[in-house]
Amino acid sequence: GRPSPDATEAATAPEPATEAPTPPAPPVVGFKKGFFIASPDDAFRLTLGLRAQVRFELETADGAPRTNSAAFLLPRVRIKFNGHAFDERIAFSLQMDFAKGGVSLKDAWVDLKGNDWLILRMGQFKTPHARHFLTSSTKLQLVDRAITSKAFDLDRDIGVMLLNDWKSSPLEYAIGVFNGTGDKGSWSGDVLVDPATGEGDLLGAKASNVPELPNPLVVLRVGGHTPDFDGYSETDPGHSDFGVGVGGGVYFDFDADNDDDAGVGGNIDFALKVKGLSTSGAFYLKAEQDGAGIGDQALHSFGGHVSVGYAIKGRVEPVVRYARVTVVDGSAHSEEILGGVNVYLFHHNVKWVTDAGALIAIASGESSTDFRIRTQLQLDF
């Protein structure tokens, strides 16, 4: 017999259409303090930045006769990678410098963030000693740091540190333990050369900034500031409201490899800004071991610096700075007297800085005065 109408309709009914799979969301790209790429859920983010400083320096040095020198320099050419992985609480930073004819590692660290008050940082980074050193070279009031930085500041080092997010709180702290050898390591070891290729490998290679014996450097910094105050930028082109920050740091260098270098040091520092006027400074003390025991310390040197500037309409900023370093036994002291002008083309991102002044040194009763002019164009993003 004939099939029923219902059976015929069921046999000829089209299959229901299947939905096409949803394509994965594309990554997010853009620019925010550098070019970034991020996963759609922002679980992963990588930001790329660049810092380049091009400088011309003219110097006349004391002597009989005086000697003159002039040169173009590349003090800093750096690539920066920052971001987080898997979670915003797992952050990282990698910074390399290509200036001075080679490649050097500046920063390489990972942060594990419990909350704003408890962050664990491990890797290579700046030791948290003094404000002037912790301030980025892009945010200084003059071309470079004061002479006190070379005399008293520590260096980047490899270690571990506990700190808080000072931007979220008026109080700040950091305490770290480091190798105590600085970040400028070199390699040593026997060289084995493959006769077929002429290529060599280091045998038993050892980095000079990784000590054989525990060689700890312990650094502690505490401070405070008014709300929403950036105390780690020495200038105020944005004409911010009144803000002030104070802080201090101490270090204990146990240096088991070389007892003569063991010592302690400390500083107190400040920064103040109000409506384009900015001033900052610090006072330092340094002691060195002069006996058999780590407790045999004697005051070695002291010094300080202060700078003042005013940003006119956020574009042009005249600045003056004075710095002094004194060795307590009277054998030597040095002074720096500088004046300069910052021109902000795009805030700190594109800035032209020029300074000039005198460097006065007295050693073993002999005095010398050098004069220097520097001008520098900066690009940073």
Side-chain angles (χ1 to χ4, degrees), residues 178-244:
F178 303 88
N179 280 339
T181 51
D183 65 320
K184 297 176 176 64
S186 59
W187 291 93
S188 62
D190 296 326
V191 178
L192 175 65
V193 178
D194 185 342
T197 64
E199 296 179 352
D201 291 315
L202 281 173
L203 297 179
K206 180 181 180 298
S208 63
N209 60 342
V210 180
E212 293 182 1
L213 296 174
N215 189 29
L217 170 70
V218 179
V219 188
L220 169 66
R221 178 173 175 81
V222 294
H225 55 268
T226 53
D228 301 320
F229 177 69
D230 183 2
Y232 297 95
S233 172
E234 292 183 346
T235 63
D236 188 30
H239 278 232
S240 61
D241 294 331
F242 173 83
V244 62

Side-chain angles (χ1 to χ4, degrees), residues 304-338:
H305 66 87
V306 62
S307 60
V308 182
Y310 180 74
I312 303 170
K313 296 184 178 180
R315 288 293 185 181
V316 179
E317 179 186 31
V319 179
V320 293
R321 182 171 76 197
Y322 175 77
R324 181 184 175 107
V325 177
T326 299
V327 180
V328 295
D329 64 6
S331 62
H333 88 258
S334 55
E335 294 178 88
E336 178 186 59
I337 305 170
L338 292 180

Side-chain angles (χ1 to χ4, degrees), residues 227-288:
D228 301 320
F229 177 69
D230 183 2
Y232 297 95
S233 172
E234 292 183 346
T235 63
D236 188 30
H239 278 232
S240 61
D241 294 331
F242 173 83
V244 62
V246 294
V250 295
Y251 71 84
F252 303 89
D253 186 358
F254 295 96
D255 203 345
D257 288 342
N258 185 350
D259 290 339
D260 293 337
D261 287 342
V264 297
N267 74 90
I268 55 175
D269 54 50
F270 77 94
L272 182 147
K273 300 177 188 178
V274 55
K275 301 298 184 181
L277 174 68
S278 56
T279 179
S280 61
F283 176 76
Y284 302 84
L285 288 172
K286 179 181 179 181
E288 291 186 354

Side-chain angles (χ1 to χ4, degrees), residues 31-173:
F31 182 89
K32 184 178 181 181
K33 297 182 179 180
F35 294 97
F36 74 85
I37 181 169
S39 60
D41 59 358
D42 202 36
F44 293 84
R45 177 178 288 256
L46 178 66
T47 300
L48 170 64
L50 170 70
R51 178 186 310 176
Q53 295 175 338
V54 183
R55 182 185 303 176
F56 177 76
E57 185 170 301
L58 174 64
E59 184 169 322
T60 172
D62 208 343
R66 298 187 70 90
T67 58
N68 303 314
S69 61
F72 292 98
L73 308 172
L74 288 173
R76 298 174 183 91
V77 180
R78 298 182 181 177
I79 300 293
K80 303 173 289 182
F81 298 93
N82 300 297
H84 58 259
F86 302 100
D87 190 284
E88 289 185 355
R89 295 171 295 180
I90 305 175
F92 62 86
S93 180
L94 176 66
Q95 183 176 185
M96 295 171 290
D97 196 336
F98 295 83
K100 303 174 184 177
V103 180
S104 62
L105 179 66
K106 306 305 291 185
D107 292 322
W109 52 258
V110 176
D111 274 0
L112 301 178
K113 182 176 180 180
N115 53 45
D116 289 342
W117 279 97
L118 188 62
I119 303 171
L120 176 67
R121 176 169 296 176
M122 299 184 69
Q124 178 171 292
F125 46 90
K126 285 185 175 182
T127 52
H129 177 233
R131 184 185 304 273
H132 195 45
F133 174 60
L134 292 171
T135 298
S136 169
S137 62
T138 64
K139 297 182 179 181
L140 300 172
Q141 279 194 310
L142 291 173
V143 171
D144 222 329
R145 294 183 176 87
I147 58 173
T148 49
S149 185
K150 182 174 290 186
F152 299 105
D153 283 340
L154 304 174
D155 211 333
R156 285 175 165 87
D157 210 334
I158 303 173
V160 59
M161 180 170 68
L162 286 176
L163 70 157
N164 74 321
D165 181 5
W166 62 267
K167 292 182 180 180
S168 65
S169 168
L171 300 176
E172 57 184 272
Y173 82 91

